[in-house]
Amino acid sequence: MTDPELDREAITLFEELLETDPADPDAWLNERTAGRDTLRARVQALRSADLAATLATGGALNHVTDAPPPERLGAYRIGERIGAGGMGSVYLATRDRGDFEHTAAIKIIKPGLLSERLVDRFRRERQILAQLRHPNIAQLFDGGETDDGSPYFIMEYVDGLPLLRWAESVEASREQRIDMLLQACAAVAFAHANLIVHRDITPSNVMVTPEGVVKLIDFGIARPTGLNLPPINPPSEGGSLQTLSLTPGYAAPERMTGAEPTTATDIFSLGKLAARLLEDDVNNPELAAIIARATRPNPEDRYGSVDRFAQDLRAWRDQRPVSSFSGGPGYAFRKFVARHKKTTFFSSAAVVLLIAAFAGTTVAYFAAERARAEEAQRFQDVRNLANYLLFDLNDQLRKVPGNTSARADLAARAQTYLDTLAASKNTNRDLRLETANGLIRLAEIQGSPVERNLGLGTDAKTNLVRAEAILGDLHKESDSPQIALAESRIDATLGLIAIYRDNDAETSLDRFARGQAALDRVADGQRDAKWRQAQAELTRNVMDRQSYNEEYDDLLAAADAQEAFLDSWPDDERASQIARLERAYAWYYRGSAQSLIEREAEAYPELRKAHDAFKTMEAETPNDTQLLYMIGWSGAEGYAAAARIGKVDESADLLFSARDAVKRLAAIEDRDESAKIMLITIEETYAQHLADIGDYPAAIEAQKHLVDIQIADMDETSAGTDVGWSEMILGGIAASAQDRKLACDSWTSALTRFNQAQANERLSAFHASFLSGLRANVERCRRGVPVTEFGPLRLPDPEESEDP
């Protein structure tokens, strides 16, 4: 057996030992390695490395040699090796596809280092790390597996020096060193807020660019525990990957016991990093207190968050009281004097006596001031958390499959906080405006028709009305562009709810007019980038209403106006993702309108442009649900337009793209009925496509599967028309395949469902237009007419019943 094979077996056995946690590990190991001393020695080496914290990024396995890298991975050409460690090697890579130039670093994990179970975990959690976007975090762009199955990931290339080397090379001052630590703290705090711990914060993993910007690299694959959120992996997977990233001297004591890393683990490492970087000042009692608290053996005794640690570092730098240092009753006063040496230097005895007389009052004042500041900080922390839940975490969770329940829980928690703020008598104008904007954003998450929402339409309307009342009071006091933009968002969303949910076209039109009037209130000189974005979004919502209401001439005019408006933006804004998105929407609505008025030759290029633009943007921000939704719609409509003008290859390409996007959307939006309906619609189109190209067995199998899914989803409230529609399509495919029995059985069942829905007054006019043709074909089935003589399902006159 080769060394790599023995290593793989040792790792597997070591994982089993960690997960089993037997009462007598030595006896357990002896039993499973009987007669195989070399294997037992390898496992014992892993155990020793784990307990002694000497397994630094896979150090015990460094003898596993790297295979030569492939010449390229995806769009990147592999260049020179720029780093190596126990887990694998890092290579410089260049994107050379011709669309744009880009340099990145690609890390390739050693083949065979990870078991299949760990590779699966690596894939899942790599996706989470890709969502970390922060100026002090080296961005993870993409990842995958090489041809030999080795996991790799593509990340931002950081041209800089490790932290300690940088400090030496520039002879950094104390203030510069603290600034680097605070940048690193900001990156770690952001990761913690996104439910990720780094696990291996060391000087070599904190890089500094020539511009003096910290970049945190080499995030481990783990999430903090105790956050009351659903885990990505079962708890039984805890110990294996943890030991692949653990550096002696910086690893927290609990890591030596195999405990799962938490946010306190990173705080310990930051404390150790501060001690090394500021070693010339470690005898300072305040800094010593800060480091001591950050590196306490018991995780619960450390700082409660990275922000608290950073706050004390700033306080020490700025000569303010450090929370972890007990300086006695005069401590706050002494810090005040230190900050204001010139103004507090008194030479006369009279002034000294005056200070003594008022010393007690001053100390009391500073104690009260400190308590007030701490209370204000606590309120700000809650405020920041609520905004984070609404504006950041929800958007990130929205891209991860199976997180709809978590998003709903976050929305409920944000609702409680906003309810409290809305009910308070707070007169702070900024806080009231922030409360209104929070209610608007929450309403969009709950039930905006143009956003992938939680289906809570009633809650959404309630929150929008409450936000409208707050803004109305603010407007009476004084107007501002911020108020006008917020009012426009409310009117746009209520206008869409009116048309989609309440079928109230008049109210919808009125709301959009009010939204435009709110934007028009903003003076020309105050119409900045935010105003332009709000105007473009309102116009897009108007186009959505025009599409729904079949106002195609108005829709074409609005699309033209939107493009002209986008062309008027400043150069830097025209190239922004917001402008690209709104332009793609304009193309989509123009193409959709042209298709519906049977101008297919004009419709196809517009729908194709829109689809390609949405797809490009989704590749830049993977799993964005709104972009996936629009790839689906533009692809499906583009498929139909291309097919009708004979562009067979182009139509198939659009259909497959739409199908892939909507499958991913349905996996992410697991409680969104519109996503399910859209998936079924595109899968039916796919089944008919298979029939069109003559693959009848596959077409019939695909359509039967859709019928079975919809029958399983039916309940007592279902009208049955959706199942009937799918059965009707199945009958048509079967008839084309000359399968008379399946065609007749499917049509007979579909007719029964349509008749029942009509009797209950739940059959739409669209479905009713197929009744005459359906009845005629079912009658032909009853009379034994050959399948070749069946007629069309949709007749010019819905009431007509033709007999052959």
Side-chain angles (χ1 to χ4, degrees), residues 7 36 72 133 141 166 189 250 269 347 349 417 425 448 471 477 487 588 595 605 656 704 711 763 800 804:
D7 278 328
R36 303 184 63 189
R72 64 182 308 111
R133 301 193 176 208
F141 296 132
W166 169 85
Y250 294 90
S269 299
S347 58
Y417 169 72
K425 302 298 183 181
S448 170
L471 292 171
E477 297 170 11
E487 288 179 334
Y588 166 73
S595 178
F656 295 150
K704 277 184 174 180
I711 290 175
L763 188 68
E800 179 183 349

Side-chain angles (χ1 to χ4, degrees), residues 455-477:
L456 304 173
T458 301
D459 292 342
K461 286 184 67 174
T462 299
N463 282 324
L464 289 169
V465 171
R466 294 172 71 196
E468 191 171 39
I470 294 173
L471 292 171
D473 290 340
L474 290 172
H475 189 182
K476 290 175 186 176
E477 297 170 11

Side-chain angles (χ1 to χ4, degrees), residues 238-311:
S240 307
L241 280 175
Q242 296 166 20
T243 56
L244 291 178
S245 185
L246 193 159
T247 302
Y250 294 90
E254 63 268 19
R255 293 296 308 282
M256 313 308 173
T257 66
E260 177 147 352
T262 67
T263 55
T265 303
D266 283 349
I267 292 170
F268 182 96
S269 299
L270 285 169
K272 289 293 186 180
L273 186 65
R276 283 294 308 278
L277 189 62
L278 299 168
E279 58 187 359
D280 291 344
D281 297 284
V282 290
N283 291 328
N284 179 285
E286 290 171 302
L287 178 60
I290 293 171
I291 293 172
R293 183 174 176 186
T295 59
R296 285 174 183 165
N298 187 348
E300 296 180 359
D301 294 335
R302 298 170 199 157
Y303 286 98
S305 69
V306 174
D307 287 337
R308 295 296 189 194
F309 172 67
Q311 185 177 333

Side-chain angles (χ1 to χ4, degrees), residues 157-161 166 169-170 176 180 207-215:
Y157 171 62
V158 180
D159 182 14
L161 293 174
W166 169 85
S169 68
V170 302
Q176 288 176 307
M180 295 303 108
M207 303 290 290
V208 184
T209 69
E211 295 76 27
V213 177
V214 163
K215 290 285 185 178

Side-chain angles (χ1 to χ4, degrees), residues 355-579:
I355 291 175
F358 284 94
T361 303
T362 305
V363 169
Y365 165 77
F366 279 105
E369 187 69 10
R370 181 177 173 185
R372 184 202 63 76
E374 289 178 351
E375 180 62 28
Q377 182 62 47
R378 282 193 292 272
F379 174 76
Q380 187 62 39
D381 287 346
V382 174
R383 185 175 176 181
N384 291 341
L385 177 60
N387 284 327
Y388 170 72
L389 293 178
L390 281 172
F391 294 96
D392 295 316
L393 184 56
N394 172 75
D395 290 341
Q396 293 165 26
L397 287 178
R398 193 173 65 167
K399 300 175 184 180
V400 181
N403 268 331
T404 309
S405 296
R407 288 179 59 213
D409 182 58
L410 289 177
R413 291 172 187 268
Q415 181 77 70
T416 300
Y417 169 72
L418 290 170
D419 287 347
T420 301
L421 280 185
S424 72
K425 302 298 183 181
N426 197 304
T427 58
N428 184 291
R429 184 177 176 84
D430 290 341
L431 183 57
R432 288 153 64 199
L433 179 59
E434 183 179 305
T435 302
N437 279 322
L439 289 167
I440 295 169
R441 180 57 189 146
L442 179 58
E444 291 169 345
I445 293 169
Q446 290 169 328
S448 170
V450 292
E451 181 172 324
R452 311 321 310 147
N453 60 76
L454 297 174
L456 304 173
T458 301
D459 292 342
K461 286 184 67 174
T462 299
N463 282 324
L464 289 169
V465 171
R466 294 172 71 196
E468 191 171 39
I470 294 173
L471 292 171
D473 290 340
L474 290 172
H475 189 182
K476 290 175 186 176
E477 297 170 11
S478 66
D479 199 6
S480 71
Q482 292 80 10
I483 292 174
L485 266 58
E487 288 179 334
S488 176
R489 282 176 64 195
I490 291 174
D491 286 318
T493 305
L494 285 174
L496 289 170
I497 290 175
I499 190 75
Y500 279 105
R501 188 169 178 268
D502 303 334
N503 197 26
D504 186 345
E506 185 176 344
T507 297
S508 173
L509 198 60
D510 177 64
R511 278 289 180 179
F512 283 124
R514 290 175 58 176
Q516 186 60 60
L519 292 179
D520 291 343
R521 289 203 319 262
V522 180
D524 289 345
Q526 295 180 303
R527 295 183 177 182
D528 57 7
K530 290 183 178 179
W531 183 90
R532 285 185 283 275
Q533 180 181 346
Q535 178 64 73
E537 288 177 352
L538 179 63
T539 303
R540 185 221 306 166
N541 292 340
V542 169
M543 289 191 291
D544 198 78
R545 177 197 175 278
Q546 291 167 337
S547 175
Y548 180 87
N549 224 34
E550 300 182 1
E551 300 167 0
Y552 300 130
D553 290 339
D554 291 340
L555 178 55
L556 290 171
D560 291 342
Q562 180 80 314
E563 279 210 86
F565 175 59
L566 294 170
D567 288 339
S568 72
W569 287 18
D571 290 345
D572 58 333
E573 290 179 35
R574 279 205 306 272
S576 67
Q577 184 165 8
I578 292 170

Side-chain angles (χ1 to χ4, degrees), residues 65-371:
T65 58
D66 289 353
E71 291 186 4
R72 64 182 308 111
L73 287 171
Y76 291 87
R77 177 170 46 81
I78 306 298
E80 62 178 311
R81 184 162 75 168
I82 56 177
M87 288 184 72
S89 296
V90 182
Y91 300 90
L92 193 65
T94 305
R95 183 181 177 91
D96 61 355
R97 281 288 171 85
D99 46 359
F100 61 89
E101 294 184 358
H102 179 62
T103 300
I106 296 184
K107 186 168 187 176
I108 303 176
I109 305 302
K110 288 182 178 179
L113 178 62
L114 304 181
S115 67
E116 183 177 351
R117 184 172 61 83
L118 291 181
V119 170
D120 287 340
R121 179 177 177 181
F122 190 91
R123 293 189 189 111
R124 293 194 300 270
E125 299 191 345
R126 182 177 57 203
Q127 177 61 41
I128 295 173
L129 297 182
Q131 309 305 317
L132 282 183
R133 301 193 176 208
H134 189 275
N136 299 120
I137 295 176
Q139 176 68 38
L140 177 63
F141 296 132
D142 200 356
E145 284 81 39
T146 63
D147 290 341
D148 66 0
S150 299
Y152 72 85
F153 48 88
I154 303 172
M155 52 195 171
E156 177 184 352
Y157 171 62
V158 180
D159 182 14
L161 293 174
L163 181 59
L164 296 182
R165 285 178 54 197
W166 169 85
E168 292 174 2
S169 68
V170 302
E171 297 182 353
S173 65
R174 183 175 76 176
E175 286 69 23
Q176 288 176 307
R177 292 168 187 253
I178 295 173
D179 181 61
M180 295 303 108
L181 282 172
L182 292 175
Q183 289 188 49
C185 287
V188 177
F190 180 79
H192 288 181
N194 284 272
L195 316 183
I196 297 173
V197 292
H198 187 286
R199 304 183 309 114
D200 194 28
I201 299 172
T202 66
S204 62
N205 284 337
V206 181
M207 303 290 290
V208 184
T209 69
E211 295 76 27
V213 177
V214 163
K215 290 285 185 178
L216 201 56
I217 65 172
D218 250 8
F219 272 80
I221 309 297
R223 305 187 343 156
T225 58
L227 293 180
N228 198 28
L229 288 171
I232 292 180
N233 307 294
S236 63
E237 294 186 3
S240 307
L241 280 175
Q242 296 166 20
T243 56
L244 291 178
S245 185
L246 193 159
T247 302
Y250 294 90
E254 63 268 19
R255 293 296 308 282
M256 313 308 173
T257 66
E260 177 147 352
T262 67
T263 55
T265 303
D266 283 349
I267 292 170
F268 182 96
S269 299
L270 285 169
K272 289 293 186 180
L273 186 65
R276 283 294 308 278
L277 189 62
L278 299 168
E279 58 187 359
D280 291 344
D281 297 284
V282 290
N283 291 328
N284 179 285
E286 290 171 302
L287 178 60
I290 293 171
I291 293 172
R293 183 174 176 186
T295 59
R296 285 174 183 165
N298 187 348
E300 296 180 359
D301 294 335
R302 298 170 199 157
Y303 286 98
S305 69
V306 174
D307 287 337
R308 295 296 189 194
F309 172 67
Q311 185 177 333
D312 262 1
L313 283 175
R314 287 191 194 92
W316 178 62
R317 178 196 64 189
D318 299 338
Q319 290 290 327
R320 296 184 181 277
V322 172
S323 67
S324 297
F325 179 71
S326 299
Y331 175 55
F333 176 71
R334 292 195 300 274
K335 300 304 291 186
F336 175 83
V337 171
R339 293 198 309 275
H340 304 87
K341 289 181 180 179
K342 291 183 180 180
T343 58
T344 57
F345 180 76
F346 301 98
S347 58
S348 70
V351 174
V352 171
L353 290 174
L354 183 62
I355 291 175
F358 284 94
T361 303
T362 305
V363 169
Y365 165 77
F366 279 105
E369 187 69 10
R370 181 177 173 185

Side-chain angles (χ1 to χ4, degrees), residues 530-794:
K530 290 183 178 179
W531 183 90
R532 285 185 283 275
Q533 180 181 346
Q535 178 64 73
E537 288 177 352
L538 179 63
T539 303
R540 185 221 306 166
N541 292 340
V542 169
M543 289 191 291
D544 198 78
R545 177 197 175 278
Q546 291 167 337
S547 175
Y548 180 87
N549 224 34
E550 300 182 1
E551 300 167 0
Y552 300 130
D553 290 339
D554 291 340
L555 178 55
L556 290 171
D560 291 342
Q562 180 80 314
E563 279 210 86
F565 175 59
L566 294 170
D567 288 339
S568 72
W569 287 18
D571 290 345
D572 58 333
E573 290 179 35
R574 279 205 306 272
S576 67
Q577 184 165 8
I578 292 170
R580 292 162 58 202
L581 178 66
E582 298 301 343
R583 196 177 296 276
Y585 271 110
W587 291 337
Y588 166 73
Y589 283 118
R590 182 186 293 119
S592 180
Q594 289 168 336
S595 178
L596 290 165
I597 58 177
E598 299 182 359
R599 287 160 50 180
E600 308 294 356
E602 298 172 67
Y604 169 69
E606 297 294 317
L607 291 168
R608 180 86 222 195
K609 281 193 305 183
H611 167 272
D612 292 350
F614 289 131
K615 193 166 184 178
T616 297
M617 285 183 279
E618 195 275 331
E620 297 167 1
T621 56
N623 284 353
D624 184 295
T625 53
Q626 197 63 23
L627 290 172
L628 289 174
Y629 188 75
M630 292 310 301
I631 293 170
W633 275 123
S634 58
E637 293 187 38
Y639 159 78
R644 284 194 285 266
I645 59 176
K647 292 183 175 291
V648 178
D649 292 340
E650 291 89 338
S651 67
D653 175 63
L654 285 167
L655 176 60
F656 295 150
S657 175
R659 188 168 178 249
D660 171 72
V662 178
K663 279 185 174 181
R664 287 195 284 143
L665 174 66
I668 295 169
E669 297 287 0
D670 54 322
R671 283 173 34 180
D672 190 335
E673 287 302 316
S674 65
K676 292 181 182 178
I677 292 170
M678 188 178 180
L679 177 61
I680 289 173
T681 300
I682 289 183
E683 288 296 287
E684 284 181 338
T685 304
Y686 176 66
Q688 292 180 87
H689 168 73
L690 291 173
D692 290 342
I693 63 176
D695 191 353
Y696 293 115
I700 290 172
E701 181 181 357
Q703 191 63 23
K704 277 184 174 180
H705 180 61
L706 290 176
V707 170
D708 291 341
I709 289 175
Q710 294 188 84
I711 290 175
D713 285 344
M714 285 185 66
D715 56 30
E716 62 275 6
T717 65
S718 301
T721 51
D722 291 336
V723 179
W725 173 262
S726 295
E727 289 175 328
M728 188 177 73
I729 291 175
L730 177 59
I733 295 173
S736 298
Q738 304 296 303
D739 188 337
R740 187 181 189 282
K741 183 179 185 308
L742 179 59
C744 289
D745 289 346
S746 301
W747 284 337
T748 300
S749 180
L751 181 60
T752 300
R753 297 186 195 278
F754 277 20
N755 285 337
Q756 184 63 44
Q758 187 178 51
N760 294 331
E761 299 182 349
R762 299 183 66 183
L763 188 68
S764 69
F766 173 75
H767 288 112
S769 66
F770 290 87
L771 270 176
S772 295
L774 190 57
R775 286 171 180 156
N777 277 342
V778 170
E779 176 61 20
R780 292 183 179 100
C781 287
R782 187 185 63 79
R783 294 169 48 197
V785 172
V787 69
T788 53
E789 297 181 19
F790 286 175
L793 290 168
R794 194 172 191 180

